[in-house]
Amino acid sequence: MGVIITKPDYRGEELTGFYTTAFYRKNAVDRFTLLPNVKDKFGMNFLNFTGTVLGVAGCDFNANVNTALTEKLDNINSYDINFEECIETFEQSYLAEELKAGANSVEFPASFEEWLMSKLPEAIGDELERKAFTELETELTADLNNIDVTILPITANNAIDELAKVYQAIPGELMGDPELVIMINANSWKYFQIAAFDTAVPQLITDGIKMYFLGIELVLAPVYNAGKGGGLNDDVVIAGKISNFVRASDLLSDDTELNIIDLRQSTGDKKLRVVGSLKFKCTYAISEEIVHAHV
């Protein structure tokens, strides 16, 4: 069976569905506040009440109540989707997935393009999450307004003590907030996951999937890998309200398209190339509510 390209482009509703799959993969970044339809510069408006609302009963006006409107502007980043692969590689993967053990026949999907377009968003989504944590870490490192904490390299022996430093640095106003999380990468996650099953470590609780430190949910982030687009570095811990972290995109743009190019028809190479573009930016709104711990 040879690969036959019958539909060279995806646009409109098809492309929206493609990007929706890429942007919603049940990972950490999916829980960040989403700002769709961003074309260039975007703003974040987060409203906080300061002071007291209740006062002693009487006729006098209490001017001790204020609202703080956090206004932050940022620019979105543009990325190109541009990769190519040998057609034989696609065919082998395609056939391997469709063949069932013990089956005498193969049922192919309606088209090869549908299969390819179901796999590509997974790869894009993984890379976007990695870029998101790289962008967060870079911005936090340069930001003088967040809560900066120095920790030791996290090991199996000191993991609990180092996380306690982060816990103590979290602003008291955030404690008890259901949106408060602590984000660590998968290398650190393993130390805490093992410790959580130790009855001598009551600070950690886990069901094997979710994990909590003194009631605060730990969130798993991808390990930094330059070849795969980035990620969160080892020995870095980020704590804050999950809604305070923002991901902006042109998710629903109707002026973009994704093209599948069969290079056999042009250059003669036995390769498929997929080209397109998207916009994405991961940041945060209120610096003072984020703890950034690192070595």
Side-chain angles (χ1 to χ4, degrees), residues 2-128:
V3 171
I4 300 175
I5 301 299
T6 58
K7 181 175 176 52
D9 60 272
Y10 279 70
R11 56 166 64 93
E13 292 184 2
E14 293 173 317
L15 189 59
T16 298
F18 173 90
Y19 282 144
T20 299
T21 302
F23 277 82
Y24 293 95
R25 298 180 59 254
K26 296 183 179 179
N27 55 24
V29 178
D30 290 348
R31 299 171 60 185
F32 293 178
T33 298
L34 174 64
L35 299 179
N37 300 325
V38 176
K39 305 298 183 184
D40 186 16
K41 189 181 291 291
F42 63 98
M44 292 161 284
N45 298 321
F46 283 66
L47 182 65
N48 288 335
F49 287 97
T50 62
T52 59
V53 177
L54 299 178
V56 178
C59 297
D60 294 334
F61 173 72
N62 183 357
N64 197 34
V65 181
N66 300 291
T67 58
L69 182 61
T70 300
E71 293 185 350
K72 179 180 178 181
L73 292 176
D74 214 329
N75 293 305
I76 199 164
N77 297 325
S78 296
Y79 295 101
D80 288 331
I81 301 170
N82 190 352
F83 80 95
E84 63 181 31
E85 185 58 85
C86 177
I87 287 178
E88 291 183 357
T89 301
F90 283 122
E91 286 184 338
Q92 291 167 2
S93 300
Y94 181 51
L95 288 170
E97 182 166 314
E98 292 303 317
L99 282 169
K100 308 300 180 183
N104 294 321
S105 62
V106 180
E107 285 188 12
F108 295 103
S111 72
F112 172 79
E113 291 84 355
E114 290 182 11
W115 174 83
L116 179 59
M117 290 301 101
S118 71
K119 297 302 177 184
L120 186 55
E122 297 177 5
I124 291 176
D126 177 72
E127 189 168 340
L128 285 176

Side-chain angles (χ1 to χ4, degrees), residues 26 61 63 68 88 102 114 153 175 188 207 210 219 267 278:
K26 296 183 179 179
F61 173 72
E88 291 183 357
E114 290 182 11
M175 298 303 294
S188 299
D207 59 1
K210 287 189 175 183
V219 173
T267 64
L278 58 82

Side-chain angles (χ1 to χ4, degrees), residues 58-288:
C59 297
D60 294 334
F61 173 72
N62 183 357
N64 197 34
V65 181
N66 300 291
T67 58
L69 182 61
T70 300
E71 293 185 350
K72 179 180 178 181
L73 292 176
D74 214 329
N75 293 305
I76 199 164
N77 297 325
S78 296
Y79 295 101
D80 288 331
I81 301 170
N82 190 352
F83 80 95
E84 63 181 31
E85 185 58 85
C86 177
I87 287 178
E88 291 183 357
T89 301
F90 283 122
E91 286 184 338
Q92 291 167 2
S93 300
Y94 181 51
L95 288 170
E97 182 166 314
E98 292 303 317
L99 282 169
K100 308 300 180 183
N104 294 321
S105 62
V106 180
E107 285 188 12
F108 295 103
S111 72
F112 172 79
E113 291 84 355
E114 290 182 11
W115 174 83
L116 179 59
M117 290 301 101
S118 71
K119 297 302 177 184
L120 186 55
E122 297 177 5
I124 291 176
D126 177 72
E127 189 168 340
L128 285 176
E129 181 179 34
R130 292 177 179 278
K131 289 184 182 298
F133 279 100
T134 294
E135 290 177 350
L136 280 180
E137 191 175 345
T138 300
E139 185 173 354
L140 285 169
T141 299
D143 191 341
L144 299 179
N145 295 317
N146 61 66
I147 303 169
D148 193 77
V149 175
T150 300
I151 59 174
L152 298 175
I154 298 174
T155 67
N157 296 324
N158 70 0
I160 303 302
D161 292 337
E162 298 313 305
L163 195 57
K165 295 178 183 178
V166 177
Y167 179 86
Q168 291 174 335
I170 296 173
E173 292 80 5
L174 300 183
M175 298 303 294
D177 193 308
E179 292 190 339
L180 180 60
V181 299
I182 298 174
M183 295 183 285
I184 55 178
N185 78 5
N187 286 338
S188 299
W189 180 273
K190 292 185 289 185
Y191 295 132
F192 294 109
Q193 189 81 330
I194 293 173
F197 285 100
D198 187 342
T199 56
V201 186
Q203 300 97 317
L204 283 169
I205 299 175
T206 185
D207 59 1
I209 301 175
K210 287 189 175 183
M211 186 161 47
Y212 298 85
F213 178 79
L214 295 175
I216 301 176
E217 182 184 357
L218 299 187
V219 173
L220 177 65
V223 175
Y224 180 82
N225 184 316
K228 292 185 177 181
L232 188 63
N233 278 298
D234 291 348
D235 307 318
V236 174
V237 183
I238 300 174
K241 291 172 60 175
I242 198 74
S243 60
N244 191 24
F245 300 97
V246 175
R247 58 186 177 125
S249 78
D250 61 343
L251 179 62
L252 303 179
S253 296
D254 55 5
D255 58 350
T256 58
E257 63 183 34
L258 194 70
N259 293 310
I260 307 173
I261 304 172
D262 186 346
L263 296 182
R264 293 174 299 183
Q265 308 301 321
S266 55
T267 64
D269 293 333
K270 295 181 179 179
K271 295 180 179 180
L272 286 182
R273 178 176 294 172
V274 180
V275 296
S277 63
L278 58 82
K279 293 180 179 181
F280 179 81
K281 174 69 177 181
C282 194
T283 182
Y284 49 86
I286 306 173
S287 302
E288 294 80 3

